[in-house]
């Protein structure tokens, strides 16, 4: 009798993913397995909750768009193998298109500043004790949060200027935020997953910033 085994990523994918983590210019600029896994997990959780929220209010088209993002996350951006494939794809894109650049050339100070502004808003939202207070907060602050989000995506597209998985991820999420009210849905769901996602993203941006030692960031 044959026993079922869990699928494992091919050794070539593991090798290339390992190389993508080891060949960045400096150790302080290398992404850790934990950071990548946390980003993947939070994004998957948040997008799944958005899909369910949209379905519950009858927005089936919006729910389908969110579930498509979920499927891409689960399958490693269409490559299969989930987290490992997504990590390999994004890591290899970085090595090929960006690893040779000096950290200062990424100009990530603006990205960190936008992330800090969003985190400040989310901290404020987390203080709301009731559903009614959260709804009122979103109504009053959504335009400001959307403005900062648009600025963040604009900066990221300048950072990830080459065609590839990294730019594709930014463009996909940007489109859903600007055209599909993804940010509003995330805010209505609460701040924890979104706050965690932005915090990890900010930490990564700081690693790649030439001024990561500044206490004011």
């Amino acid at each position: 009798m044959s026993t079922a085994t869990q699928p494992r990523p091919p050794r070539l994918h593991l090798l290339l993913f390992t190389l993508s983590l080891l060949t960045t210019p400096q150790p302080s600029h290398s992404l850790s397995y934990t950071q990548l896994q946390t980003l993947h997990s939070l994004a998957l959780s948040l997008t799944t909750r958005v899909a369910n929220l949209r379905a519950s209010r009858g927005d089936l088209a919006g729910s389908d768009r969110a579930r498509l993002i979920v499927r891409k996350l689960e399958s490693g951006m269409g490559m299969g193998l989930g987290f490992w494939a997504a990590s390999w794809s994004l890591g290899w894109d970085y090595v090929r298109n960006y690893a040779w650049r000096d950290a200062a050339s990424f100009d990530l100070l603006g990205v960190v500043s936008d992330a800090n502004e969003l985190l400040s808003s989310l901290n404020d939202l987390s203080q709301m004790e009731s559903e009614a207070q959260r709804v009122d907060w979103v109504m009053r602050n959504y335009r400001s949060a959307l403005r900062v989000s648009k600025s963040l995506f604009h900066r990221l597209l300048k950072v990830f200027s080459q065609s590839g998985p990294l730019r594709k991820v930014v463009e996909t999420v940007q489109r859903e935020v600007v055209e599909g009210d993804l940010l509003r849905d995330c805010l209505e769901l609460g701040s924890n997953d979104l706050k965690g996602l932005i915090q990890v993203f900010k930490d990564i941006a700081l690693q790649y910033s030439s001024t990561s030692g500044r206490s004011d960031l």
Side-chain angles (χ1 to χ4, degrees):
M1 179 184 297
S2 62
T3 58
T5 58
Q6 293 295 324
R8 294 182 300 174
R11 291 183 180 179
L12 177 59
H13 281 189
L14 287 174
L15 174 61
L16 292 175
F17 173 62
T18 301
L19 288 173
S20 74
L21 296 181
L22 295 178
T23 56
T24 47
Q26 302 175 26
S28 62
H29 292 163
S30 299
L31 297 184
S32 72
Y33 170 86
T34 300
Q35 286 175 318
L36 290 170
Q37 189 177 48
T38 301
L39 277 176
H40 186 267
S41 176
L42 287 171
L44 188 59
S45 171
L46 186 58
T47 312
T48 299
R49 293 174 64 207
V50 167
N52 292 337
L53 173 67
R54 291 175 175 179
S56 71
R57 65 190 183 206
D59 181 8
L60 300 184
S63 179
D64 286 344
R65 291 197 310 273
R67 293 192 190 283
L68 178 59
I69 296 176
V70 170
R71 289 196 294 272
K72 288 183 177 181
L73 288 168
E74 289 178 331
S75 66
M77 304 307 293
M79 294 176 59
L81 309 175
F83 167 72
W84 281 107
S87 300
W88 173 82
S89 178
L90 298 176
W92 186 247
D93 184 29
Y94 169 76
V95 169
R96 184 184 60 208
N97 289 319
Y98 306 104
W100 52 270
R101 291 168 57 181
D102 182 84
S105 68
F106 282 103
D107 190 23
L108 290 174
L109 290 180
V111 171
V112 174
S113 177
D114 286 341
N116 275 334
E117 189 169 349
L118 285 173
L119 285 171
S120 177
S121 293
L122 292 173
N123 285 332
D124 187 33
L125 174 59
S126 68
Q127 302 303 310
M128 303 298 105
E129 298 179 353
S130 68
E131 180 68 21
Q133 287 178 321
R134 286 194 294 272
V135 170
D136 180 66
W137 187 97
V138 172
M139 290 180 62
R140 288 184 289 105
N141 295 279
Y142 175 69
R143 287 184 179 275
S144 175
L146 181 61
R147 172 187 57 78
V148 179
S149 297
K150 287 180 177 179
S151 173
L152 177 61
F153 284 116
H154 177 71
R155 296 181 194 277
L156 286 174
L157 288 176
K158 291 177 65 177
V159 171
F160 300 124
S161 56
Q162 302 297 316
S163 177
L166 286 165
R167 184 175 179 87
K168 183 177 180 180
V169 167
V170 175
E171 289 175 335
T172 299
V173 180
Q174 178 195 43
R175 184 163 51 251
E176 193 59 31
V177 166
V178 174
E179 301 176 9
D181 280 344
L182 177 61
L183 177 63
R184 186 189 294 275
D185 292 335
C186 291
L187 293 174
E188 289 183 5
L189 285 169
S191 62
N192 287 339
D193 279 353
L194 182 59
K195 186 163 63 173
L197 193 66
I198 295 174
Q199 182 62 58
V200 175
F201 179 78
K202 174 197 165 182
D203 292 342
I204 292 173
L206 280 173
Q207 283 182 225
Y208 282 83
S209 172
S210 61
T211 59
S212 59
R214 286 176 51 181
S215 60
D216 58 324
L217 294 178

